[in-house]
Amino acid sequence: MQHLIIDNGSYEIKAGFSSADTPLKVQNTVAKTRDGVIYVGNDFLTNNNNYSGIMLKRPFSQGHLTSWETEKPVWDYTLQKLGGADKKGVDPSQTHLILTEPPFQLPQLSINTDQIVFEEYGFNEYFRCIPPLLVPWVAEANDFYLVVDSGHDATWVVPMIYQSVHWEGVRKLPVGGKLLAGLLAETISFRHYDVSEEPVLVNTIKEQTCFIAPEGKFQDYLKNKSKYECEFILPDFKTTTTGYVRTPKTKITADTQILKLYDERFTVPESYYHPEIIFDNHRATAHSALLQQTPFKNLADLIVEAVMASPKVTRPMLVANICIVGGSTKFPGFDARLKAELEKELPQQWHLQFRDVEDTGREEVAWVGGANLADSDVLDKVSISKKEYFEHGSNWCQKQFGFKNLT
C-alpha cells in the first residue's frame, strides 16, 4: 500500500508519496490566456510566454473548496505527474490518501470531497485533516504547539494539545497572500499603471519587494519612504516574462519600463497588524465612520486570544512552542515583528519562542508532517477504508474527521 499525501492548498498543491524527499508542487488553478488557450496546473508556467491578461480560476472561494469542476482537472493533472515517466498515473485502489482541508470547512463541502475521494477516484484508505494537525509530526517531540499558518486565503492560529486540535482556541485572520496581492494591485493601479489583470506580475512584485516594518517603526518608515525606493523592471516578454528587481549591475535600455515602489512595499503587509488599512484603500469603505472607529483585531491579538482560550496550564507551553508555517510568512521581518508584538501582550515570565522546522520550507511543513505520519502506526487507527465508507454512508467521514461542535 502506497501512502499519498496531498496538501491541498488554495494557491498551490503539495503532493507526493511518503517515500519521496520533497513534494511535487502544482498551481491549484485553471488558467485561460488572452487568446483563449486553457492550461491546467503548472502548464501555464511552462507553455505560455506571455502572462499578460491571463485569467486564473481557483477552486477555492472564501477559504472553502467550492468548485470540484475546477479542482478535479488539477487533481487529475497532479496524479498524472506523480505517475512517473510511464505517465500511467497513480493507482488509487492501491493507495492510502492523506488529504488536508481548511479549518472549519463547511460540512457539506467536506462530504463532497469524501465522495470524490471514494466514489470518483476509489482510494483504498483515507485520512482527512487540517494542515496544522500535521505540524507536530515535523517539529521536535512536544505535546504543545501553537501553529500560525498564513497561506493564500487567510491566516489561522491553531493550538495543538497532545497532537489534537483545541478547537475552542482556533482563530482566523482574513489576511493572506490573495488579499495582500489584491491590495497591492489596487495601490499600483491607482499610483502607477493598471495591473488589475496581471495576477502573475502582481504576485511577483509582492514576493520580491514587500517586507514588514519593525515594531514601532511603521510611522518612521512612512515619513522616510524615499529611503526604501525599489525599482522593478516590468516584463517586456523578450528578456523577461515576470519582471525582476533592478540591481546596480542591471543593464537597461531606452525602452525598459521601470516601476518605482516606495511605501507600497511595507504598507501592504502591514495589514497583518493594522487591518484597517484594507478599508482605507477601498473606495466604498474609506469614508465610513463606523468602519474607521471599529477596533479590528490584528494577528498578535488573535494569537493572544487563542492562547487564553486554551487550558490555563497549557498556555506558557503553547507560547514556548510557536510554529510559523505557510508561504505568506516568508516576508522579510515577519518573525521579528510578530515576536516583538507578542512580547508586549504576553506575561513577561512566559518564555516566548518560535520553533522553526529545519530543512523544510514553510509551505511544505504540512506535507512533510503527513509523510512522517504515514510511517507511524497511528495512521491506521484514524483512517477510514473504502469498505467502511460504503458500509456507513457519506456522513461517516465527517463524523470521524470533522471539527468538534463548539458549545
Side-chain angles (χ1 to χ4, degrees), residues 131-195:
L133 185 68
L134 300 175
V135 173
W137 291 91
V138 186
E140 299 175 5
N142 201 303
D143 293 328
F144 306 95
Y145 285 100
L146 185 67
V147 181
V148 180
D149 184 359
S150 185
H152 182 62
D153 275 323
T155 300
W156 290 94
V157 183
V158 181
M160 297 294 303
I161 300 176
Y162 295 118
Q163 297 181 339
S164 297
V165 178
H166 183 66
W167 289 106
E168 289 81 356
V170 176
R171 295 293 184 271
K172 176 185 179 182
L173 178 69
V175 176
K178 179 180 178 180
L179 186 144
L180 297 180
L183 183 57
L184 181 61
E186 284 191 16
T187 306
I188 293 175
S189 297
F190 178 76
R191 296 180 178 180
H192 307 284
Y193 308 102
D194 182 10
V195 293

Side-chain angles (χ1 to χ4, degrees), residues 152-384:
H152 182 62
D153 275 323
T155 300
W156 290 94
V157 183
V158 181
M160 297 294 303
I161 300 176
Y162 295 118
Q163 297 181 339
S164 297
V165 178
H166 183 66
W167 289 106
E168 289 81 356
V170 176
R171 295 293 184 271
K172 176 185 179 182
L173 178 69
V175 176
K178 179 180 178 180
L179 186 144
L180 297 180
L183 183 57
L184 181 61
E186 284 191 16
T187 306
I188 293 175
S189 297
F190 178 76
R191 296 180 178 180
H192 307 284
Y193 308 102
D194 182 10
V195 293
S196 57
E197 297 183 358
E198 308 294 339
V200 177
L201 172 61
V202 173
N203 198 62
T204 303
I205 295 174
K206 181 193 70 175
E207 292 179 351
Q208 294 190 11
T209 67
C210 288
F211 65 94
I212 294 182
E215 190 274 326
K217 298 292 185 180
F218 180 67
Q219 294 298 330
D220 294 338
Y221 274 47
L222 275 179
K223 293 177 183 178
N224 301 282
K225 60 183 181 181
S226 59
K227 292 183 179 179
Y228 306 100
E229 175 188 343
C230 174
E231 293 186 343
F232 189 87
I233 307 296
L234 294 174
D236 56 8
F237 307 109
K238 296 177 182 177
T239 59
T240 176
T241 57
T242 57
Y244 55 92
V245 175
R246 182 183 181 184
T247 65
K249 297 182 179 180
T250 302
K251 296 180 180 180
I252 61 174
T253 60
D255 59 348
T256 300
Q257 285 187 303
I258 298 177
L259 174 65
K260 291 186 178 182
L261 301 169
Y262 297 94
D263 57 297
E264 301 97 331
R265 300 181 62 199
F266 53 87
T267 54
V268 168
E270 189 67 17
S271 302
Y272 281 110
Y273 300 100
H274 292 92
E276 62 273 13
I277 289 175
I278 302 166
F279 300 102
D280 292 343
N281 284 270
H282 195 277
R283 183 185 308 170
T285 57
H287 303 293
S288 170
L290 177 62
L291 286 173
Q292 295 301 324
Q293 296 173 6
T294 302
F296 296 101
K297 293 182 178 179
N298 60 34
L299 179 56
D301 295 335
L302 293 178
I303 291 176
V304 173
E305 272 194 11
V307 172
M308 294 306 175
S310 302
K312 187 175 181 179
V313 69
T314 68
R315 295 171 188 173
M317 291 176 281
L318 290 172
V319 170
N321 294 281
I322 299 178
C323 289
I324 301 177
V325 299
S328 294
T329 65
K330 297 166 71 174
F331 289 113
F334 187 97
D335 291 19
R337 174 67 179 275
L338 181 57
K339 188 171 185 179
E341 294 283 352
L342 290 176
E343 286 175 343
K344 296 190 303 182
E345 303 292 336
L346 295 170
Q348 292 184 353
Q349 63 268 27
W350 289 3
H351 178 58
L352 176 65
Q353 185 173 359
F354 292 167
R355 297 285 187 181
D356 264 336
V357 182
E358 297 181 2
D359 302 325
T360 303
R362 286 187 171 180
E363 69 277 12
E364 300 176 8
V365 172
W367 183 88
V368 175
N372 293 341
L373 173 61
D375 293 334
S376 74
D377 56 358
V378 175
L379 185 60
D380 292 334
K381 301 176 183 178
V382 296
S383 299
I384 289 178

